[in-house]
Protein backbone atom coordinates (compact mmCIF):
# COMPACT_ATOMS: atom_id res chain seq x y z
CA UNK A 1 0.00 0.00 0.00
CA UNK A 2 1.51 3.32 -1.09
CA UNK A 3 2.07 6.22 1.31
CA UNK A 4 -0.19 8.35 -0.87
CA UNK A 5 -3.01 5.82 -0.53
CA UNK A 6 -2.49 5.63 3.24
CA UNK A 7 -2.70 9.41 3.42
CA UNK A 8 -5.92 9.44 1.40
CA UNK A 9 -7.31 6.60 3.54
CA UNK A 10 -6.50 8.51 6.73
CA UNK A 11 -8.19 11.59 5.31
CA UNK A 12 -11.19 9.51 4.29
CA UNK A 13 -11.45 8.07 7.78
CA UNK A 14 -11.45 11.58 9.20
CA UNK A 15 -14.16 12.49 6.70
CA UNK A 16 -16.38 9.60 7.72
CA UNK A 17 -15.90 10.28 11.43
CA UNK A 18 -16.79 13.93 10.87
CA UNK A 19 -19.66 13.19 8.48
CA UNK A 20 -22.23 14.62 10.87
CA UNK A 21 -20.36 17.92 10.92
CA UNK A 22 -19.16 18.20 7.34
CA UNK A 23 -21.88 16.47 5.28
CA UNK A 24 -24.28 18.65 3.36
CA UNK A 25 -27.77 18.76 4.93
CA UNK A 26 -30.08 16.25 3.26
CA UNK A 27 -32.65 18.97 2.59
CA UNK A 28 -30.35 20.77 0.16
CA UNK A 29 -31.38 18.35 -2.58
CA UNK A 30 -33.61 15.29 -2.70
CA UNK A 31 -33.88 12.03 -4.63
CA UNK A 32 -36.55 9.42 -5.27
CA UNK A 33 -34.35 6.78 -3.62
CA UNK A 34 -35.00 5.04 -0.33
CA UNK A 35 -31.29 5.48 0.39
CA UNK A 36 -28.55 7.46 -1.33
CA UNK A 37 -24.98 8.71 -0.96
CA UNK A 38 -22.72 11.04 -2.91
CA UNK A 39 -19.01 10.82 -2.08
CA UNK A 40 -15.80 12.42 -3.24
CA UNK A 41 -13.45 9.60 -4.30
CA UNK A 42 -10.05 10.92 -3.28
CA UNK A 43 -11.03 12.39 0.08
CA UNK A 44 -13.89 10.07 1.02
CA UNK A 45 -15.95 13.06 2.05
CA UNK A 46 -19.70 12.44 2.05
CA UNK A 47 -21.36 15.29 0.17
CA UNK A 48 -24.93 14.01 0.40
CA UNK A 49 -26.56 11.22 2.37
CA UNK A 50 -30.07 9.90 2.77
CA UNK A 51 -30.73 6.87 4.99
CA UNK A 52 -27.11 6.03 4.27
CA UNK A 53 -26.79 3.33 6.95
CA UNK A 54 -30.04 1.50 6.25
CA UNK A 55 -29.44 -2.18 5.41
CA UNK A 56 -31.03 -2.88 2.05
CA UNK A 57 -31.04 -5.30 -0.85
CA UNK A 58 -28.57 -4.19 -3.52
CA UNK A 59 -29.28 -6.53 -6.46
CA UNK A 60 -26.62 -6.63 -9.21
CA UNK A 61 -24.55 -3.76 -7.84
CA UNK A 62 -23.11 -6.70 -5.88
CA UNK A 63 -21.16 -7.49 -9.04
CA UNK A 64 -18.83 -4.55 -8.41
CA UNK A 65 -17.41 -6.52 -5.48
CA UNK A 66 -17.44 -9.74 -7.50
CA UNK A 67 -15.39 -8.06 -10.22
CA UNK A 68 -12.98 -6.43 -7.78
CA UNK A 69 -12.24 -9.71 -5.98
CA UNK A 70 -11.90 -11.60 -9.28
CA UNK A 71 -9.48 -9.06 -10.75
CA UNK A 72 -7.36 -8.99 -7.60
CA UNK A 73 -7.14 -12.78 -7.30
CA UNK A 74 -7.49 -14.00 -10.88
CA UNK A 75 -5.65 -13.71 -14.19
CA UNK A 76 -7.54 -12.04 -17.05
CA UNK A 77 -6.05 -14.41 -19.63
CA UNK A 78 -6.95 -17.60 -17.75
CA UNK A 79 -9.35 -19.79 -19.73
CA UNK A 80 -12.41 -20.80 -17.69
CA UNK A 81 -14.46 -23.91 -18.41
CA UNK A 82 -18.09 -23.16 -17.56
CA UNK A 83 -19.63 -25.59 -15.08
CA UNK A 84 -23.25 -26.65 -15.03
CA UNK A 85 -24.11 -24.59 -11.93
CA UNK A 86 -23.39 -21.39 -13.85
CA UNK A 87 -25.97 -22.27 -16.50
CA UNK A 88 -28.63 -22.71 -13.82
CA UNK A 89 -28.36 -19.13 -12.53
CA UNK A 90 -31.65 -17.26 -12.69
CA UNK A 91 -32.23 -13.78 -14.07
CA UNK A 92 -30.02 -11.70 -16.36
CA UNK A 93 -27.55 -13.71 -18.37
CA UNK A 94 -24.74 -13.69 -20.91
CA UNK A 95 -26.11 -17.09 -22.05
CA UNK A 96 -23.31 -19.41 -21.05
CA UNK A 97 -23.45 -23.10 -21.83
CA UNK A 98 -21.90 -25.92 -19.88
CA UNK A 99 -18.43 -26.64 -21.24
CA UNK A 100 -17.95 -23.19 -22.80
CA UNK A 101 -14.34 -22.01 -22.71
CA UNK A 102 -13.93 -18.28 -22.10
CA UNK A 103 -11.21 -16.10 -20.63
CA UNK A 104 -11.79 -14.53 -17.25
CA UNK A 105 -11.71 -11.15 -19.00
CA UNK A 106 -14.61 -12.15 -21.27
CA UNK A 107 -16.59 -13.29 -18.25
CA UNK A 108 -15.92 -9.97 -16.53
CA UNK A 109 -17.35 -8.13 -19.53
CA UNK A 110 -20.39 -10.41 -19.33
CA UNK A 111 -20.63 -9.67 -15.62
CA UNK A 112 -20.42 -5.87 -15.80
CA UNK A 113 -21.99 -5.14 -19.20
CA UNK A 114 -24.68 -7.83 -19.50
CA UNK A 115 -25.06 -8.20 -15.73
CA UNK A 116 -24.78 -11.94 -16.27
CA UNK A 117 -25.73 -13.93 -13.20
CA UNK A 118 -24.29 -16.94 -14.99
CA UNK A 119 -21.02 -15.05 -15.48
CA UNK A 120 -20.91 -14.29 -11.75
CA UNK A 121 -21.19 -17.98 -10.86
CA UNK A 122 -18.61 -19.00 -13.49
CA UNK A 123 -16.20 -16.38 -12.12
CA UNK A 124 -16.78 -17.53 -8.55
CA UNK A 125 -16.12 -21.16 -9.51
CA UNK A 126 -12.95 -20.26 -11.40
CA UNK A 127 -11.39 -17.79 -8.95
CA UNK A 128 -12.61 -19.18 -5.64
CA UNK A 129 -12.89 -22.86 -6.49
CA UNK A 130 -16.56 -22.76 -5.49
CA UNK A 131 -19.26 -20.20 -4.92
CA UNK A 132 -19.03 -20.63 -1.14
CA UNK A 133 -15.28 -20.01 -1.07
CA UNK A 134 -15.58 -17.03 -3.39
CA UNK A 135 -18.35 -15.50 -1.26
CA UNK A 136 -16.03 -15.82 1.74
CA UNK A 137 -13.44 -13.87 -0.24
CA UNK A 138 -16.07 -11.22 -1.00
CA UNK A 139 -16.97 -10.80 2.65
CA UNK A 140 -13.30 -10.59 3.59
CA UNK A 141 -12.73 -7.85 1.02
CA UNK A 142 -15.82 -5.99 2.23
CA UNK A 143 -14.46 -6.08 5.78
CA UNK A 144 -11.10 -4.73 4.57
CA UNK A 145 -12.93 -1.82 2.94
CA UNK A 146 -14.75 -0.97 6.16
CA UNK A 147 -18.15 -2.14 4.91
CA UNK A 148 -19.29 -2.86 8.44
CA UNK A 149 -23.02 -3.09 7.71
CA UNK A 150 -22.82 -5.42 4.71
CA UNK A 151 -23.15 -9.15 4.16
CA UNK A 152 -22.82 -11.11 0.92
CA UNK A 153 -24.34 -14.52 0.25
CA UNK A 154 -23.76 -14.90 -3.50
CA UNK A 155 -21.67 -13.37 -6.29
CA UNK A 156 -24.55 -12.04 -8.39
CA UNK A 157 -26.87 -10.14 -6.04
CA UNK A 158 -29.95 -12.35 -6.17
CA UNK A 159 -32.17 -11.73 -3.14
CA UNK A 160 -31.15 -13.58 0.01
CA UNK A 161 -31.78 -12.98 3.70
CA UNK A 162 -28.08 -12.53 4.51
CA UNK A 163 -27.27 -10.54 1.38
CA UNK A 164 -27.48 -6.80 1.95
CA UNK A 165 -25.51 -3.57 2.17
CA UNK A 166 -26.03 0.15 2.73
CA UNK A 167 -25.67 3.20 0.53
CA UNK A 168 -22.65 4.30 2.56
CA UNK A 169 -20.96 0.89 2.35
CA UNK A 170 -21.58 0.74 -1.40
CA UNK A 171 -19.97 4.16 -1.67
CA UNK A 172 -16.89 2.76 0.05
CA UNK A 173 -16.88 -0.14 -2.40
CA UNK A 174 -17.24 2.22 -5.36
CA UNK A 175 -14.28 4.28 -4.19
CA UNK A 176 -12.10 1.17 -4.08
CA UNK A 177 -13.42 -0.06 -7.43
CA UNK A 178 -12.56 3.11 -9.34
CA UNK A 179 -8.94 2.83 -8.15
CA UNK A 180 -8.75 -0.44 -10.12
CA UNK A 181 -7.90 0.47 -13.72
CA UNK A 182 -9.00 -2.89 -15.13
CA UNK A 183 -12.41 -2.70 -13.49
CA UNK A 184 -12.96 0.87 -14.70
CA UNK A 185 -11.87 -0.04 -18.22
CA UNK A 186 -14.45 -2.82 -18.38
CA UNK A 187 -17.27 -1.01 -16.56
CA UNK A 188 -16.93 2.08 -18.76
CA UNK A 189 -17.11 0.11 -22.04
CA UNK A 190 -20.37 0.76 -23.89
CA UNK A 191 -20.10 -2.23 -26.20
CA UNK A 192 -17.51 -4.81 -27.14
CA UNK A 193 -17.01 -7.92 -29.21
CA UNK A 194 -14.80 -10.37 -27.35
CA UNK A 195 -14.55 -14.13 -27.29
CA UNK A 196 -16.95 -14.32 -30.22
CA UNK A 197 -19.66 -12.44 -28.30
CA UNK A 198 -20.94 -8.90 -28.73
CA UNK A 199 -22.09 -7.30 -25.49
CA UNK A 200 -23.72 -3.98 -24.66
CA UNK A 201 -23.58 -2.10 -21.37
CA UNK A 202 -26.88 -1.76 -19.47
CA UNK A 203 -25.68 1.46 -17.83
CA UNK A 204 -27.45 4.23 -19.76
CA UNK A 205 -25.72 6.89 -17.70
CA UNK A 206 -22.58 6.32 -19.79
CA UNK A 207 -24.28 7.91 -22.79
CA UNK A 208 -26.61 10.25 -20.91
CA UNK A 209 -23.99 12.16 -18.91
CA UNK A 210 -20.60 13.53 -19.86
CA UNK A 211 -17.81 12.25 -17.62
CA UNK A 212 -19.56 9.08 -16.42
CA UNK A 213 -17.17 6.09 -16.20
CA UNK A 214 -19.53 3.36 -14.94
CA UNK A 215 -20.11 1.44 -12.63
CA UNK A 216 -23.11 -0.94 -12.24
CA UNK A 217 -26.87 -1.15 -12.45
CA UNK A 218 -29.10 -3.57 -10.55
CA UNK A 219 -32.69 -4.71 -10.24
CA UNK A 220 -34.82 -7.32 -8.56
CA UNK A 221 -38.49 -7.02 -7.72
CA UNK A 222 -37.70 -6.87 -4.00
CA UNK A 223 -34.68 -4.56 -4.27
CA UNK A 224 -36.13 -2.26 -6.89
CA UNK A 225 -33.74 -0.30 -9.09
CA UNK A 226 -30.23 0.11 -7.69
CA UNK A 227 -27.39 2.07 -9.24
CA UNK A 228 -23.76 2.77 -8.34
CA UNK A 229 -21.88 5.15 -10.63
CA UNK A 230 -18.79 7.33 -10.92
CA UNK A 231 -18.26 10.57 -12.79
CA UNK A 232 -15.24 12.80 -13.42
CA UNK A 233 -15.14 16.56 -13.95
CA UNK A 234 -12.04 18.78 -13.93
CA UNK A 235 -10.02 15.94 -12.46
CA UNK A 236 -12.38 15.47 -9.53
CA UNK A 237 -14.07 12.08 -9.14
CA UNK A 238 -17.41 11.54 -7.38
CA UNK A 239 -19.34 8.32 -6.78
CA UNK A 240 -23.10 8.14 -6.33
CA UNK A 241 -25.24 5.35 -4.90
CA UNK A 242 -29.03 5.09 -5.02
CA UNK A 243 -30.98 2.14 -3.66
CA UNK A 244 -34.62 1.39 -4.45
CA UNK A 245 -34.90 4.33 -6.82
CA UNK A 246 -37.36 4.40 -9.72
CA UNK A 247 -35.80 7.59 -11.09
CA UNK A 248 -32.14 6.67 -10.71
CA UNK A 249 -30.75 8.04 -13.99
CA UNK A 250 -32.08 11.53 -13.32
CA UNK A 251 -31.16 11.35 -9.64
CA UNK A 252 -27.54 10.52 -10.40
CA UNK A 253 -27.31 13.39 -12.88
CA UNK A 254 -28.76 15.72 -10.24
CA UNK A 255 -26.39 14.44 -7.54
CA UNK A 256 -23.35 14.96 -9.73
CA UNK A 257 -24.41 18.44 -10.80
CA UNK A 258 -24.90 19.34 -7.17
CA UNK A 259 -21.60 17.83 -6.01
CA UNK A 260 -19.38 19.25 -8.74
CA UNK A 261 -21.01 22.69 -8.58
CA UNK A 262 -21.08 23.09 -4.83
CA UNK A 263 -18.04 21.08 -3.66
CA UNK A 264 -15.22 21.60 -6.17
CA UNK A 265 -11.88 20.12 -5.22
CA UNK A 266 -9.47 22.72 -3.84
CA UNK A 267 -5.73 22.11 -4.08
CA UNK A 268 -4.27 23.04 -0.70
CA UNK A 269 -0.69 22.21 -1.68
CA UNK A 270 1.18 20.55 -4.53
CA UNK A 271 4.17 18.22 -4.22
CA UNK A 272 7.36 20.23 -3.74
CA UNK A 273 5.49 23.45 -2.97
CA UNK A 274 6.85 25.63 -0.16
CA UNK A 275 4.47 25.39 2.77
CA UNK A 276 6.43 27.68 5.08
CA UNK A 277 9.81 29.34 5.35
CA UNK A 278 11.64 29.04 8.67
CA UNK A 279 14.66 30.66 10.25
CA UNK A 280 17.41 28.33 11.43
CA UNK A 281 19.34 29.77 14.34
CA UNK A 282 23.10 29.74 13.68
CA UNK A 283 22.44 28.14 10.31
CA UNK A 284 23.73 28.82 6.81
CA UNK A 285 21.56 29.75 5.05
CA UNK A 286 19.61 31.28 7.90
CA UNK A 287 16.21 30.88 6.20
CA UNK A 288 15.05 27.76 4.35
CA UNK A 289 11.80 26.58 2.73
CA UNK A 290 9.80 23.65 4.06
CA UNK A 291 8.23 21.81 1.13
CA UNK A 292 5.34 19.35 0.84
CA UNK A 293 6.30 15.71 0.32
CA UNK A 294 3.08 15.25 -1.71
CA UNK A 295 0.03 17.15 -2.80
CA UNK A 296 -3.23 17.49 -0.92
CA UNK A 297 -6.67 18.52 -2.10
CA UNK A 298 -10.15 18.49 -0.60
CA UNK A 299 -13.70 19.30 -1.75
CA UNK A 300 -14.63 22.66 -0.27
CA UNK A 301 -18.16 24.05 -0.12
CA UNK A 302 -19.41 27.62 -0.12
CA UNK A 303 -18.70 29.28 3.21
CA UNK A 304 -16.09 26.69 4.20
CA UNK A 305 -12.42 27.45 4.70
CA UNK A 306 -9.52 25.05 4.12
CA UNK A 307 -6.51 26.08 6.19
CA UNK A 308 -2.94 24.78 6.47
CA UNK A 309 -0.81 24.62 9.59
CA UNK A 310 2.70 23.22 10.01
CA UNK A 311 3.68 21.11 13.01
CA UNK A 312 7.40 20.47 13.38
CA UNK A 313 8.61 17.22 14.91
CA UNK A 314 11.41 19.03 16.74
CA UNK A 315 13.17 22.39 16.96
CA UNK A 316 15.22 22.90 13.81
CA UNK A 317 18.93 23.57 14.08
CA UNK A 318 21.96 23.08 11.87
CA UNK A 319 23.11 20.87 10.36
CA UNK A 320 20.13 19.74 8.25
CA UNK A 321 19.93 17.76 5.03
CA UNK A 322 17.66 18.61 2.12
CA UNK A 323 14.79 16.12 1.93
CA UNK A 324 14.76 15.28 5.63
CA UNK A 325 11.27 14.96 7.14
CA UNK A 326 10.93 17.73 9.70
CA UNK A 327 7.20 17.83 10.37
CA UNK A 328 3.73 17.70 8.87
CA UNK A 329 1.37 20.08 7.16
CA UNK A 330 -2.04 19.74 8.82
CA UNK A 331 -5.13 20.65 6.81
CA UNK A 332 -8.36 21.71 8.48
CA UNK A 333 -11.79 22.39 7.06
CA UNK A 334 -13.59 25.00 9.11
CA UNK A 335 -11.44 23.99 12.10
CA UNK A 336 -11.77 20.19 11.78
CA UNK A 337 -8.72 18.25 10.64
CA UNK A 338 -9.19 16.44 7.32
CA UNK A 339 -5.66 15.30 6.49
CA UNK A 340 -1.93 15.85 6.73
CA UNK A 341 1.23 15.32 4.66
CA UNK A 342 4.91 15.29 5.57
CA UNK A 343 6.98 18.43 5.07
CA UNK A 344 10.63 18.23 4.07
CA UNK A 345 13.68 20.41 4.58
CA UNK A 346 14.00 22.32 1.30
CA UNK A 347 17.79 22.72 1.34
CA UNK A 348 20.95 21.72 3.19
CA UNK A 349 21.79 23.83 6.23
CA UNK A 350 25.35 24.16 7.56
CA UNK A 351 26.44 25.64 10.87
CA UNK A 352 26.52 29.40 10.46
CA UNK A 353 30.29 29.84 10.53
CA UNK A 354 30.98 27.03 8.10
CA UNK A 355 31.51 27.93 4.48
CA UNK A 356 31.09 25.18 1.90
CA UNK A 357 34.92 25.03 1.74
CA UNK A 358 35.13 24.60 5.53
CA UNK A 359 32.63 21.76 5.37
CA UNK A 360 34.62 20.12 2.57
CA UNK A 361 37.85 20.35 4.58
CA UNK A 362 36.28 18.49 7.50
CA UNK A 363 35.47 15.45 5.36
CA UNK A 364 37.87 12.73 6.57
CA UNK A 365 40.30 11.46 3.97
CA UNK A 366 40.15 7.73 3.25
Amino acid sequence: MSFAFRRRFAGALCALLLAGVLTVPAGAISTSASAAVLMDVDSGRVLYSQNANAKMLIASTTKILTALVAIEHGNLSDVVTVRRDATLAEGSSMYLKEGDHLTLETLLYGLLLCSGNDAAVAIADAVGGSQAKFVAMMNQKAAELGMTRSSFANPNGLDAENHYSTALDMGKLARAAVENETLVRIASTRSITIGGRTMYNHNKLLSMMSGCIGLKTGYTQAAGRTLVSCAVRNGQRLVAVTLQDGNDWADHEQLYEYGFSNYPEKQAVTIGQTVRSVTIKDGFPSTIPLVAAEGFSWPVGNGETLTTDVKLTHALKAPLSAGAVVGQAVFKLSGAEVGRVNVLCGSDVLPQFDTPLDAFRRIPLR
Side-chain angles (χ1 to χ4, degrees):
M1 183 183 295
S2 69
F3 177 82
F5 180 84
R6 290 196 299 272
R7 191 268 299 165
R8 288 197 300 269
F9 180 80
L13 181 60
C14 290
L16 293 175
L17 292 174
L18 295 168
V21 177
L22 302 179
T23 303
V24 61
I29 54 174
S30 62
T31 73
S32 299
S34 294
V37 154
L38 177 69
M39 298 175 71
D40 178 79
V41 171
D42 290 328
S43 68
R45 184 179 183 186
V46 177
L47 307 180
Y48 172 85
S49 66
Q50 174 187 342
N51 298 328
N53 286 309
K55 294 180 179 179
M56 300 183 65
L57 298 173
I58 55 173
S60 285
T61 56
T62 296
K63 290 165 183 163
I64 299 171
L65 181 58
T66 302
L68 186 60
V69 171
I71 292 168
E72 290 182 349
H73 292 273
N75 188 320
L76 296 181
S77 61
D78 282 350
V79 176
V80 176
T81 300
V82 176
R83 303 179 191 174
R84 185 171 183 271
D85 61 340
T87 68
L88 300 177
E90 300 176 354
S92 55
S93 174
M94 66 176 294
Y95 305 105
L96 297 175
K97 296 180 182 178
E98 183 178 1
D100 280 349
H101 300 287
L102 301 90
T103 63
L104 178 60
E105 183 176 21
T106 301
L107 288 172
L108 286 166
Y109 275 105
L111 178 81
L112 295 177
L113 272 65
C114 304
S115 197
N117 292 335
D118 50 356
V121 174
I123 288 169
D125 286 341
V127 176
S130 69
Q131 290 187 65
K133 291 179 181 178
F134 187 83
V135 167
M137 295 165 66
M138 293 173 65
N139 281 302
Q140 180 179 350
K141 182 64 179 179
E144 292 173 0
L145 296 176
M147 300 173 67
T148 57
R149 297 178 64 83
S150 299
S151 174
F152 296 88
N154 58 62
N156 44 40
L158 291 175
D159 300 333
E161 183 177 356
N162 58 339
H163 193 102
Y164 56 82
S165 188
T166 69
L168 181 59
D169 277 3
M170 292 304 289
K172 296 176 185 178
L173 173 60
R175 288 184 61 224
V178 298
E179 296 293 352
N180 188 295
E181 294 181 2
T182 299
L183 195 155
V184 171
R185 170 173 60 82
I186 296 173
S188 62
T189 299
R190 297 189 189 184
S191 66
I192 192 172
T193 298
I194 185 174
R197 298 166 183 263
T198 299
M199 293 177 273
Y200 300 91
N201 202 319
H202 291 180
N203 188 354
K204 294 181 180 179
L205 208 60
L206 287 168
S207 56
M208 290 175 58
M209 197 187 83
S210 175
C212 180
I213 58 171
L215 290 165
K216 189 68 189 73
T217 61
Y219 174 81
T220 68
Q221 186 171 0
R225 292 178 62 87
T226 61
L227 180 61
V228 178
S229 67
C230 179
V232 182
R233 184 182 297 178
N234 298 324
Q236 183 179 11
R237 298 177 297 173
L238 303 181
V239 291
V241 179
T242 51
L243 303 178
Q244 204 171 66
D245 185 357
N247 196 31
D248 49 6
W249 306 124
D251 282 340
H252 279 238
E253 285 189 290
Q254 176 195 204
L255 285 168
Y256 286 126
E257 186 57 39
Y258 175 83
F260 286 126
S261 298
N262 291 280
Y263 289 86
E265 188 175 65
K266 180 177 180 180
Q267 188 80 41
V269 67
T270 58
I271 185 170
Q273 179 180 336
T274 297
V275 180
R276 176 186 292 178
S277 294
V278 294
T279 299
I280 309 299
K281 185 178 181 180
D282 297 330
F284 177 82
S286 60
T287 302
I288 63 165
L290 302 182
V291 301
E294 60 180 308
F296 184 87
S297 58
W298 197 264
V300 178
N302 294 330
E304 296 179 337
T305 303
L306 185 64
T307 59
T308 306
D309 188 23
V310 174
K311 292 186 177 181
L312 300 177
T313 56
H314 55 275
L316 301 184
K317 60 181 181 179
L320 292 170
S321 299
V325 177
V326 294
Q328 291 186 317
V330 180
F331 306 98
K332 294 183 179 181
L333 185 71
S334 300
E337 182 178 336
V338 293
R340 54 178 64 198
V341 301
N342 284 339
V343 293
L344 313 176
C345 185
S347 65
D348 292 328
V349 182
L350 300 173
Q352 186 175 13
F353 299 107
D354 279 355
T355 65
L357 181 58
D358 293 330
F360 177 77
R361 286 171 176 168
R362 289 205 308 270
I363 299 175
L365 299 176
R366 297 182 182 274

